[in-house]
């Protein structure tokens, strides 16, 4: 069985480079600066545009000619921009400008950087009566040049951060989806009903077994074995899962199985290797990244029929919320309906994307947890920096996390504990101490229990031992070790 990693190292390195730490007063730290004109993203390098400490966005003077198609002139230290009957003139290094001969001021002085003239974007837009809106949630300037119906120039109300009314689903369905979402992002090796827990146990270096634990009798039964078993999802009388991967790469094809909850009638659902590692199930359909099409978003019936492409977007992690699909591509977070209608696009600023109890959580880098309520209107986010509240001596990134009842259960690098914290940023405490020489790889929450995996490595990479523990979420209990095995 392969050693499991959260994301390919190349993607992690790219994400670190793309989302550097910044310290803007009201902007969102870690996100790149973006400009959207009439709904179209404009690509500007960090050398061409930047934001100062007062959240003033600067763009090159040439931007207004190249992108806005405006008349511009520049003569040494003097410059002008004209639109319709309005014309502004200004000098390099000064905050003052003239609009049709009337003296006014930008919010900041124009500057020269690397030989290029940079000017305040909002100031020019306001002066020339160009609709401008700054969204600090996604560090984006929204600009409307084309006149709208009625002659107004309001920002695009269908921008990626505007959501319609949340999906209508029963509380029991949403509760189950919350559990599945959190566990699937932890490799989906545990699931449950009111009577049983189902979990995966590694029995050798290249073989795993699926077990059923009876909460009433405390008896354990082995249901089946396979080269690999991931993503346990219960639908009706069946338990679905992925198994028997064909190679050792992270993004790979899997076969798709189902088995009765008593361990009978194990059935191969899909003979061809269509499915990559992440999927969600709802109302007889499976939603997944198609391995044969570069992990683009697809759906098909649970019997393997009616395969349909929903979007030309790559799927990394995928969550269900009512009839919404919330997934990331490794670079962006997308929200689509199960019919393939795009609702939103948000820049990714972390490793792990989880929808739980009506909130989208993004976490991972620098100990941050971003909480975004999935409700109608503009998405608003709160960023919790867990470093000051948990005060770990050897502080690191969040390596694994799960959520239940608006509480985050997380393992932070070098912490030797699974901590829990209310998702208003209060009451951080230690939930359970973990072995000093190991690290927690997965946290699964089922019913009133937690299952967590501890791994031991050499050379910071190769796994040499794996252990699985179970502990109730309430009360003062010691963790029960389910198994411990050496990995060759």
């Amino acid at each position: 069985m392969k050693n499991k990693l959260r994301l390919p190292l190349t993607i992690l390195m790219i994400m670190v480079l793309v989302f550097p730490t910044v310290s803007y007063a009201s902007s969102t730290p870690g996100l790149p600066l973006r400009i959207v004109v009439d709904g179209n993203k404009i690509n500007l390098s960090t050398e061409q545009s930047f934001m100062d400490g007062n959240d003033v966005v600067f763009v090159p003077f040439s931007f207004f000619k190249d992108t806005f198609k405006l008349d511009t002139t520049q003569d040494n230290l003097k410059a002008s921009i004209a639109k319709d009957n309005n014309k502004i003139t200004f000098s390099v290094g000064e905050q003052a400008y003239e609009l049709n001969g009337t003296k006014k001021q930008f919010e900041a002085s124009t500057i020269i950087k690397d030989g290029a003239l940079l000017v305040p974007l909002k100031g020019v837009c306001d002066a020339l009566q160009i609709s401008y809106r700054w969204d600090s949630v996604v560090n984006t300037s929204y600009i409307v040049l084309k006149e709208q119906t009625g002659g107004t120039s309001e920002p695009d109300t269908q921008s990626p951060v505007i959501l319609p009314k949340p999906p209508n689903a029963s509380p029991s369905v949403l509760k189950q989806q919350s559990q599945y979402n959190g566990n699937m992002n932890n490799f989906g090796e545990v699931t449950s009903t009111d009577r049983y827990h189902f979990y995966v146990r590694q029995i050798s270096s290249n073989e795993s077994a699926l077990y059923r634990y009876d909460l009433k009798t405390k008896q354990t039964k082995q249901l089946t074995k396979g080269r690999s078993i991931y993503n346990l999802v219960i639908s009706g009388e069946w338990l679905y899962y992925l198994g028997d991967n064909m190679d050792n790469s992270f993004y790979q094809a899997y076969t798709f199985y189902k088995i009765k909850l008593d361990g009978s009638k194990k059935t191969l659902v899909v003979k061809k290797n269509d499915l990559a590692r992440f999927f969600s199930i709802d109302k007889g359909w499976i939603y997944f990244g198609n391995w044969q099409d570069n992990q683009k978003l697809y759906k098909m019936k649970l019997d393997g029929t009616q395969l349909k492409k929903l979007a030309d977007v790559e799927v990394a992690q995928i969550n269900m919320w009512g009839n919404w699909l919330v997934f990331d591509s490794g670079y962006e977070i997308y929200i689509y309906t199960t019919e393939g209608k795009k609702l939103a696009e948000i820049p990714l600023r972390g490793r792990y994307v989880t929808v739980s109890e009506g909130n989208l959580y993004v976490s991972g880098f620098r100990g941050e947890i971003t909480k975004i309520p999935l409700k109608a209107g503009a998405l608003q986010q709160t960023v919790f920096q867990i470093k000051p509240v948990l005060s770990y001596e050897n502080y690191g990134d969040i390596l694994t996390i799960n959520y239940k009842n608006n509480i985050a259960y997380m393992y932070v690098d070098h912490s030797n504990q699974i901590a829990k914290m209310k998702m208003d940023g209060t009451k951080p405490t230690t939930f359970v101490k973990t072995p000093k020489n190991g690290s927690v790889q997965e946290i699964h929450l089922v019913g009133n229990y937690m299952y967590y995996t501890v791994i031991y490595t050499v050379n910071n990479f190769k796994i040499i031992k794996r252990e699985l523990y179970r502990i109730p979420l309430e009360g003062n209990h010691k963790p029960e070790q389910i198994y411990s095995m050496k990995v060759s």
Side-chain angles (χ1 to χ4, degrees), residues 213 218 409 418 420 430-434 448-450 452 469-481:
Y213 172 70
K218 308 300 181 184
Y409 296 86
I418 295 175
K420 69 177 185 178
T430 297
F431 175 69
V432 63
K433 291 287 187 180
T434 59
N448 295 317
Y449 285 82
M450 174 189 291
Y452 63 95
Y469 293 86
R470 174 172 55 216
I471 185 172
L473 292 176
E474 304 295 334
N476 187 16
H477 301 275
K478 291 183 178 180
E480 170 193 359
Q481 186 182 90

Side-chain angles (χ1 to χ4, degrees), residues 130-150:
I130 298 171
S131 179
Y132 177 93
R133 176 170 64 87
W134 168 250
D135 191 335
S136 61
V137 174
V138 287
N139 281 7
T140 300
S141 294
Y142 290 99
I143 298 167
V144 176
L145 287 174
K146 296 178 181 178
E147 293 295 320
Q148 307 297 315
T149 302

Side-chain angles (χ1 to χ4, degrees), residues 31 100 197 202 338 344 356 403 437 459:
L31 289 188
N100 300 332
H197 291 172
Q202 188 171 346
T338 52
S356 178
Y403 305 88
N437 296 326
N459 302 323

Side-chain angles (χ1 to χ4, degrees), residues 58-64 70-82 87-106 108-112 116-121 123-125 127-128:
F58 286 83
V59 295
F61 179 72
S62 58
F63 175 82
F64 297 97
L70 301 181
D71 293 329
T72 62
T73 61
Q74 183 177 1
D75 182 14
N76 293 325
L77 298 181
K78 293 286 186 178
S80 68
I81 307 173
K87 181 178 181 180
I88 60 174
T89 59
F90 51 89
S91 299
V92 175
E94 294 185 7
Q95 190 171 353
Y97 71 91
E98 288 189 3
L99 171 62
N100 300 332
T102 301
K103 292 184 178 180
K104 295 178 177 291
Q105 283 193 332
F106 293 128
S109 299
T110 60
I111 62 174
I112 293 291
L117 171 60
L118 299 177
V119 297
L121 176 59
V124 174
C125 288
L128 298 177

Side-chain angles (χ1 to χ4, degrees), residues 307-436:
L307 180 68
K308 179 181 178 181
K309 187 173 186 177
L310 293 180
D312 194 32
V313 180
E314 180 180 333
V315 175
Q317 303 164 95
I318 187 168
N319 297 259
M320 289 288 306
W321 189 244
N323 68 333
W324 289 2
L325 302 171
V326 184
F327 62 97
D328 75 276
S329 65
Y331 305 95
E332 305 280 330
I333 299 173
Y334 298 91
I335 303 178
Y336 275 73
T337 68
T338 52
E339 296 304 314
K341 179 182 178 181
K342 181 179 177 180
L343 300 178
E345 178 179 345
I346 313 164
L348 177 64
R349 57 189 302 257
R351 292 176 184 160
Y352 317 132
V353 178
T354 306
V355 175
S356 178
E357 298 163 335
N359 296 305
L360 168 61
Y361 296 107
V362 185
S363 62
F365 294 122
R366 300 180 299 277
E368 286 185 358
I369 304 175
T370 302
K371 177 182 178 180
I372 306 176
L374 295 178
K375 58 184 181 181
L379 295 182
Q380 297 296 320
Q381 71 180 19
T382 303
V383 180
F384 299 104
Q385 173 62 252
I386 69 171
K387 181 177 181 179
V389 294
L390 294 181
S391 300
Y392 291 130
E393 182 178 354
N394 297 310
Y395 176 75
D397 292 340
I398 298 173
L399 296 188
T400 186
I401 193 168
N402 209 332
Y403 305 88
K404 185 178 178 66
N405 296 331
N406 288 311
I407 295 175
Y409 296 86
M410 72 196 87
Y411 175 78
V412 177
D413 197 12
H414 305 303
S415 65
N416 295 122
Q417 63 173 296
I418 295 175
K420 69 177 185 178
M421 182 178 71
K422 293 185 67 174
M423 283 316 300
D424 59 5
T426 63
K427 296 185 178 180
T429 59
T430 297
F431 175 69
V432 63
K433 291 287 187 180
T434 59
K436 291 184 177 180

